[in-house]
Amino acid sequence: MLFGEATGRIDQAHDFDNPLDGVQIAHGGMQSAHQVNGYSACCQLGFGGGHVEPQLTHPWFAVFFGDVTAQKNQVTGFHKRHIRCSRRSHRGQDDVQFRQAVVNVHGSSLQFKGLHCNANFKGLRSDAQQNATQRLHSTGQLGRSKLTVNTKQKTRQHLDAVHRETNLIFAAKRSEQRGAWRVMLVGWIAGTAVQLQQSALWPLHELAVAACCCAVGILAIIRWPLTRKGSVWISGIGLLLLSASMAWSLVGLRAHVMLSDPMPSALEGRNLDVVGVVLAMPQRSESGLRFRFSIESALMNGQAVRVPQQVYLAWYGGAVSGVDGINAERTVAALQAGERWQWRVRLKAPHGHMNPGGFDYELWLWEQGLQATGYVRTGAHDPAPVRLTQTYLHPIEWARQSVRDAIVARFAMGQDGEAEAKLAGVVAALVTGDQSAIDRSDWDVFRATGVAHLMSISGLHITLFAWLAAALVGGLWRRSALWGWHWCLHWPAPQAALVGGVVLAAAYALFSGWGVPAQRTVWMLAMAGVLRLSGRIWPWPWIWTLALAVVIIFDPWALYQAGFWLSFIAVGVLFATSSPVMGSPEVVDEPVRYGAWRQWMHQFGWLEKFWSLMREQWVVTWALTPLSVLFFGQISVVGLLANLLAIPWVTLVVTPLAMGGVLWPGLWSLAVLALKPLQFMLGVMASWSWATAYVALPPLGLALIALLGGLLMAMPWPWKVRCLGIPLLLPALAWQVPRPLPGHFELLALDLGQGNAVLVRTAQHSLLYDTGPRYSVESDAGHRVVVPLLRRWNERLDTLLLSHRDSDHTGGAAAVMAMQPSASLLSSLEWGHPLLGSSMPLSANSKEPIRCSAGQSWTWDGVTFEVLHPLPQNYVEGARSNSLSCVLRISNARQTALLVGDIEAPQELALLNRAKGTDGLVPSLKADVLLVPHHGSKTSSTASFIDAVSPRWAWVQAGYRNRFGHPAAEVVARYQMRNIEVVDSAHCGAMQWRSNQAGVMQCERTTARRYWHHNAP
């Protein structure tokens, strides 16, 4: 049979069904018009061409997503047909053109990407005056349908049958495709999570080969899916594994790129003259400025050198001591994002503290793309910093800084002074996302009451802004005719409002710093908008999963952020537990479901809204409690009440006023005024002794089980089912960090820079030896390291021992003593020291602090503690603080540890003389673990003292590249000559040793190592 060229189009013309009125077929160019089931068609047939190309529009071809293209396996000659299908729906003024499905046909056989639908055309004749008769036999995989155009009634019946079968075929195919994408999303998330657990990266070429192989495998599974029974599971598992492997490989490749620009160790600590641009708005503190800086050129002694492009710099001002070599009185210039500066700096590789469960500073630098840290040199022999020009390369950061500085400056000289300035920091955080603007004491209150998520840019704020922006854009769009533009004729106002709201919300998220909660909200809003514009409906789990996948595609290491999980889990739980609006058509039995009291409450709109708010807060509280325990080791008991007051007040009052202040600064004053009563109420709640419950940080497995229990409690299921979540919560809440057995003890030397802090634990007691250094006026090791660790372990101190008054040993004492008011104090501090003031809780039962003195001893759980130094006569006026260091010996008669503080050679000699017996031996000083005197200074660790102690391990708590050069190379060599292993915190991180495993010592940098962590040379 010779086929010509045919083009047909069926358009929906009416909302009711019409019978087949007639078919007009023209030979060599005549036209045909017919109406079938409310769809009109116009077909022009011409003979003599090489193919037939009818264009059909019918709902049974407009299926789900995108274009459908299929082609028969064998195509010969010119016998080929192309059928294009589209659908047009006329509803009032709307004219929506749906997607087209393209099906390639050969002969009488149709193939829809592996789904066959055979069609035999038997006979084709035309008559301009009479109706034509056409027979079409159609056979599909889901059944067989015969279509014969003889009468109008039979035509309608057969078209309906074909409609149903074809719809099922396409639905099955599209469902399979959607399932493949969902499996790939889950695989990508899983592969990224696994990749972040690596301690070292695979070689670059191996990762590249693995990524290519995974891509080929994924394309093969999608293009040639298995069709045998049971093979769907095989294809799904294969696709899941390949997607996970591809994510693992690509994230590894990206990590290699980031590692390609390291800080050369030869340039660390050297004076470098650099020129570059300030990347982001500086963070101001009492000690100076911290900011991101992009280096354009670097010179050392006049020679060009290669350093990382992006670094994190500090410019210290005022009196700063004990901070990596910075001890000066300096004035800091005002910096603006986008400015180009020239100054002298000293850089070092990214290096942070590594403690069990502590903040990973190196990961934070890695996420920011910062490959070095350092500070600006402004000494007498250094060239003065020079501002070269304003580049405006970073307009968003410049705008953020301008707004933040305007808010801070407005309240800097207010009548209430410091109180208004602190609240201004909260307003600045709500507008610009600068959380550093909030005072640390305010953060403590917000965390204790569980409202910290409201005091920075969160998803709630982004959503509110999107709603306001959509309302504004929609109103302007509808009124555009007033200005002669008639925008509604080109694009409907609801769609313009939707797109405008999402775009402006994304701009606000960028302006606020593009944090993880903001990213999550923007992606979810964008997907909801796309689905609404395209007329599709997705189940919420896949919207949630897609948003999560998009966030980790851009920032894989966000999986380590607590805010990432808190944000996504909270939204997912609200999605899962939300119930339809009462009275909606799909929930006609709502009163029966909820009972008479809900029917009564439905009569009062405000009461129902209040109940909805209570329910959402209750759900989120239950669901996030396990995560709060996992990440922070605490539960805000007053969080439910505090959030009920704070969420509507901050969201509906404070935040709109704060954002409106950008247009009219007077609104900032109203925002500060609105914060005052809230701050007062939160302060009262935080002052309650039971406001916050601290629990030990559970292992990951128990935390996941507890999370399952919290989700079970939050679901809208019968209480008999919900109560099953309580047993799942209890193990995580009751878990305690394993303690030593009776008669044994353990030591944990914290990694906190240049200073000492050692936690000693027995079966039922704990002692803290020193509290670490003070880093700056507003920061110390107590707040940053020691107190968080004690809370994560739910540790109660019995005794706090401060070896001597130097700030690298007592810098964190105030924070520890405030957190542990019942701990007794033992120290060598002189009377009148600030830490001994009457306002500070010092010891149990209001006892006076005790001075450590040789001869003091006590026993805990079979472990003996002895003070060996100083003697009472050593407490004389003018004595050096190092000479008064308390020396503590800990022993269980089998293993011994010696903590010596900052004693120097004279004190070492005195200890030897007092310990030496008639046989010349010094058995009372022998130890398995020695805390190296004075951090390894040249003035300590004499050969005779080392020989007397003869430890197996010598611990050095010193900062990385500290200005004192601790530990000294000759001191380290002195220990190594005696086969004593020297371990320092810069290379090991936190050091842990147990007396029941005397031959094993754990380094936190080894047990918790990841590929982004710094390898100290």
Side-chain angles (χ1 to χ4, degrees):
M1 179 179 179
L2 183 63
F3 290 93
E5 179 175 348
T7 302
R9 183 176 183 86
I10 303 176
D11 293 331
Q12 180 177 348
H14 304 285
D15 293 332
F16 52 87
D17 291 344
N18 288 333
L20 179 63
D21 293 334
V23 178
Q24 295 179 353
I25 302 179
H27 217 35
M30 291 184 292
Q31 295 184 349
S32 165
H34 53 92
Q35 292 183 343
V36 181
N37 288 344
Y39 297 88
S40 61
C42 181
C43 182
Q44 180 177 1
L45 302 179
F47 294 96
H51 62 279
V52 178
E53 187 173 345
Q55 189 175 26
L56 303 177
T57 301
H58 200 278
W60 31 286
F61 283 112
V63 182
F64 297 102
F65 303 100
D67 295 341
V68 179
T69 303
Q71 184 174 350
K72 186 174 177 60
N73 295 332
Q74 297 179 354
V75 179
T76 58
F78 295 98
H79 295 175
K80 182 179 179 183
R81 295 179 181 178
H82 299 277
I83 301 177
R84 294 183 180 178
C85 309
S86 62
R87 176 182 177 183
R88 175 173 297 175
S89 174
H90 301 271
R91 294 178 181 177
Q93 297 297 326
D94 294 336
D95 186 7
V96 182
Q97 179 67 47
F98 283 73
R99 286 171 169 75
Q100 293 185 344
V102 178
V103 182
N104 293 332
V105 185
H106 175 255
S108 60
S109 193
L110 306 178
Q111 182 180 1
F112 296 84
K113 288 187 176 178
L115 300 178
H116 298 277
C117 181
N118 298 325
N120 295 322
F121 291 86
K122 296 183 177 181
L124 183 64
R125 59 190 179 87
S126 62
D127 189 344
Q129 304 298 328
Q130 303 294 332
N131 292 333
T133 302
Q134 178 183 8
R135 288 187 177 185
L136 174 65
H137 297 281
S138 177
T139 304
Q141 288 182 346
L142 301 179
R144 181 178 181 88
S145 175
K146 296 181 179 180
L147 178 63
T148 305
V149 186
N150 292 323
T151 64
K152 302 175 183 180
Q153 184 176 3
K154 289 184 177 182
T155 300
R156 291 183 57 187
Q157 293 176 354
H158 288 296
L159 282 176
D160 289 342
V162 174
H163 179 190
R164 289 192 299 270
E165 290 189 14
T166 312
N167 197 20
L168 289 174
I169 293 173
F170 277 98
K173 185 62 179 177
R174 286 306 176 188
S175 177
E176 180 182 344
Q177 293 177 352
R178 290 196 302 272
W181 282 107
R182 293 166 182 174
V183 170
M184 291 176 63
L185 285 178
V186 175
W188 187 279
I189 296 171
T192 303
V194 172
Q195 197 277 340
L196 299 188
Q197 307 305 313
Q198 285 188 284
S199 59
L201 292 173
W202 278 23
L204 183 63
H205 64 279
E206 295 182 6
L207 290 174
V209 172
C212 294
C213 293
C214 292
V216 172
I218 291 173
L219 292 176
I221 290 178
I222 294 177
R223 181 62 182 87
W224 298 288
L226 300 176
T227 58
R228 293 183 180 180
K229 184 177 181 181
S231 62
V232 175
W233 288 100
I234 299 176
S235 298
I237 294 174
L239 195 61
L240 178 70
L241 295 177
L242 287 172
S243 301
S245 301
M246 187 170 183
W248 180 83
S249 304
L250 293 179
V251 175
L253 290 172
R254 182 173 172 182
H256 268 290
V257 173
M258 297 176 68
L259 288 173
S260 63
D261 190 23
M263 178 66 196
S265 58
L267 300 180
E268 291 187 272
R270 307 291 296 273
N271 289 335
L272 303 175
D273 297 316
V274 300
V275 175
V277 177
V278 179
L279 288 176
M281 64 176 181
Q283 310 296 318
R284 182 173 293 276
S285 64
E286 296 183 12
S287 60
L289 296 176
R290 289 187 178 273
F291 54 95
R292 295 170 56 188
F293 190 70
S294 177
I295 296 178
E296 297 174 338
S297 64
L299 300 176
M300 185 178 70
N301 299 327
Q303 299 294 324
V305 293
R306 179 181 176 81
V307 295
Q309 182 180 7
Q310 294 192 22
V311 299
Y312 193 50
L313 294 181
W315 189 347
Y316 295 103
V320 181
S321 60
V323 188
D324 293 338
I326 304 165
N327 189 356
E329 190 80 27
R330 298 290 182 267
T331 301
V332 179
L335 297 183
Q336 284 280 343
E339 289 182 339
R340 179 175 284 111
W341 281 78
Q342 177 180 349
W343 41 39
R344 176 166 292 176
V345 299
R346 283 188 180 178
L347 301 177
K348 64 178 181 181
H351 191 93
H353 304 147
M354 289 287 292
N355 294 287
F359 175 68
D360 195 341
Y361 178 64
E362 295 176 33
L363 174 60
W364 181 84
L365 292 173
W366 172 273
E367 283 189 279
Q368 306 298 317
L370 304 170
Q371 296 298 321
T373 62
Y375 62 93
V376 178
R377 297 276 296 177
T378 56
H381 302 289
D382 299 310
V386 178
R387 180 185 181 277
L388 300 178
T389 184
Q390 172 64 263
T391 64
Y392 297 103
L393 293 175
H394 306 282
I396 295 178
E397 289 295 326
W398 178 85
R400 291 180 65 203
Q401 183 179 354
S402 300
V403 173
R404 184 201 63 181
D405 292 347
I407 296 174
V408 173
R410 183 178 182 85
F411 298 96
M413 303 300 294
Q415 294 180 355
D416 294 343
E418 184 179 356
E420 283 195 349
K422 292 170 64 176
L423 293 178
V426 178
V427 174
L430 290 174
V431 178
T432 66
D434 182 16
Q435 298 184 11
S436 65
I438 301 179
D439 189 77
R440 188 176 64 185
S441 61
D442 288 336
W443 271 125
D444 293 338
V445 172
F446 298 151
R447 292 191 183 102
T449 54
V451 300
H453 63 99
L454 292 173
M455 301 307 167
S456 58
I457 303 299
S458 65
L460 195 61
H461 301 143
I462 300 294
T463 304
L464 173 64
F465 185 86
W467 179 77
L468 294 175
L472 178 62
V473 172
L476 294 176
W477 205 269
R478 292 183 180 92
R479 291 164 178 79
S480 60
L482 298 177
W483 302 288
W485 291 333
H486 303 285
W487 290 339
C488 288
L489 297 179
H490 303 282
W491 202 11
Q495 297 182 11
L498 180 62
V499 174
V502 173
V503 171
L504 291 177
Y508 177 51
L510 287 172
F511 180 80
S512 64
W514 197 241
V516 169
Q519 294 180 45
R520 183 261 305 161
T521 306
V522 168
W523 292 123
M524 283 192 171
L525 289 174
M527 282 183 290
V530 170
L531 292 175
R532 183 172 180 181
L533 291 175
S534 61
R536 299 186 180 116
I537 298 177
W538 279 13
W540 72 264
W542 298 117
I543 298 177
W544 184 85
T545 304
L546 181 58
L548 189 147
V550 170
V551 171
I552 67 173
I553 285 173
F554 287 99
D555 183 10
W557 301 276
L559 286 172
Y560 270 104
Q561 295 184 21
F564 175 89
W565 293 108
L566 292 173
S567 176
F568 274 98
I569 294 296
V571 172
V573 169
L574 290 177
F575 269 136
T577 59
S578 60
S579 59
V581 180
M582 291 179 59
S584 59
E586 64 272 16
V587 191
V588 296
D589 59 340
E590 194 75 11
V592 177
R593 176 184 175 188
Y594 289 105
W597 72 278
R598 283 298 300 271
Q599 298 183 47
W600 171 81
M601 188 174 59
H602 181 54
Q603 300 175 4
F604 304 92
W606 65 270
L607 190 58
E608 188 174 13
K609 292 179 180 178
F610 177 76
W611 166 254
S612 178
L613 177 63
M614 283 282 295
R615 177 185 166 280
E616 290 179 359
Q617 189 57 43
W618 169 266
V619 164
V620 171
T621 299
W622 270 112
L624 296 188
T625 293
L627 288 180
S628 298
V629 173
L630 175 62
F631 292 124
F632 311 116
Q634 68 180 46
I635 302 173
S636 178
V637 180
V638 299
L640 181 60
L641 176 60
N643 277 279
L644 284 176
L645 298 173
I647 287 178
W649 189 254
V650 173
T651 304
L652 302 178
V653 179
V654 178
T655 302
L657 290 174
M659 293 190 297
V662 177
L663 303 177
W664 182 43
L667 294 179
W668 288 331
S669 299
L670 296 179
V672 169
L673 186 64
L675 279 172
K676 288 184 178 181
L678 179 63
Q679 185 192 41
F680 174 77
M681 289 187 293
L682 295 178
V684 171
M685 293 181 187
S687 64
W688 297 338
S689 59
W690 47 270
T692 303
Y694 295 97
V695 296
L697 207 65
L700 181 60
L702 288 182
L704 294 178
I705 295 175
L707 179 60
L708 180 61
L711 295 177
L712 197 61
M713 292 287 293
M715 289 297 171
W717 296 336
W719 278 104
K720 293 181 180 180
V721 179
R722 295 191 195 185
C723 290
L724 297 177
I726 296 178
L728 301 178
L729 286 170
L730 293 179
L733 298 178
W735 189 83
Q736 294 293 327
V737 178
R739 302 193 69 89
L741 299 174
H744 289 279
F745 66 98
E746 71 177 22
L747 306 177
L748 176 65
L750 300 177
D751 181 14
L752 32 68
Q754 186 70 21
N756 284 150
V758 182
L759 180 63
V760 185
R761 303 169 75 230
T762 65
Q764 298 181 6
H765 296 82
S766 299
L767 176 145
L768 181 64
Y769 184 89
D770 285 337
T771 60
R774 174 175 291 277
Y775 304 118
S776 62
V777 177
E778 72 280 356
S779 177
D780 57 70
H783 278 103
R784 287 173 51 179
V785 180
V786 182
V787 168
L789 177 89
L790 296 177
R791 285 178 175 167
R792 286 194 299 271
W793 285 17
N794 196 25
E795 198 71 39
R796 183 184 63 83
L797 293 180
D798 295 279
T799 300
L800 172 61
L801 194 156
L802 302 178
S803 62
H804 61 295
R805 65 173 179 264
D806 286 359
S807 64
D808 58 338
H809 297 255
T810 62
V816 174
M817 295 165 73
M819 182 250 182
Q820 300 277 350
S822 62
S824 61
L825 178 64
L826 183 63
S827 72
S828 63
L829 301 179
E830 68 278 7
W831 303 121
H833 191 280
L835 290 174
L836 304 182
S838 58
S839 61
M840 187 68 63
L842 298 175
S843 59
N845 302 323
S846 301
K847 295 180 180 179
E848 290 293 330
I850 303 173
R851 271 188 167 179
C852 55
S853 179
Q856 295 170 338
S857 65
W858 64 93
T859 300
W860 287 341
D861 309 315
V863 179
T864 302
F865 294 76
E866 300 176 80
V867 177
L868 306 183
H869 183 79
L871 296 172
Q873 56 267 30
N874 295 138
Y875 289 100
V876 296
E877 187 176 354
R880 298 181 66 244
S881 62
N882 286 352
S883 66
L884 297 177
S885 294
C886 300
V887 177
L888 182 66
R889 182 177 183 269
I890 309 164
S891 177
N892 63 354
R894 295 178 298 277
Q895 288 82 30
T896 303
L898 193 61
L899 311 179
V900 298
D902 282 356
I903 63 172
E904 297 177 336
Q907 290 76 48
E908 294 177 356
L909 180 60
L911 285 173
L912 290 175
N913 292 334
R914 291 199 303 271
K916 188 175 296 185
T918 56
D919 56 356
L921 299 177
V922 283
S924 60
L925 290 183
K926 285 188 176 296
D928 297 274
V929 177
L930 170 66
L931 185 63
V932 173
H934 202 182
H935 317 287
S937 169
K938 296 179 182 179
T939 61
S940 305
S941 296
T942 59
S944 57
F945 180 77
I946 297 175
D947 292 335
V949 179
S950 186
R952 181 170 185 174
W953 285 289
W955 287 2
V956 180
Q957 287 186 293
Y960 176 68
R961 300 195 63 85
N962 61 87
R963 61 167 175 157
F964 307 103
H966 294 160
E970 58 189 75
V971 173
V972 174
R974 205 175 294 156
Y975 282 95
Q976 292 176 344
M977 286 175 58
R978 293 162 175 79
N979 296 322
I980 298 172
E981 185 176 353
V982 179
V983 184
D984 65 278
S985 56
H987 293 81
C988 180
M991 301 168 280
Q992 192 169 17
W993 176 84
R994 298 178 176 88
S995 62
N996 61 337
Q997 298 176 346
V1000 179
M1001 193 200 70
Q1002 293 182 354
C1003 286
E1004 187 66 19
R1005 281 194 173 270
T1006 301
T1007 57
R1009 171 154 185 81
R1010 298 294 183 267
Y1011 56 81
W1012 56 80
H1013 288 149
H1014 175 232
N1015 281 322

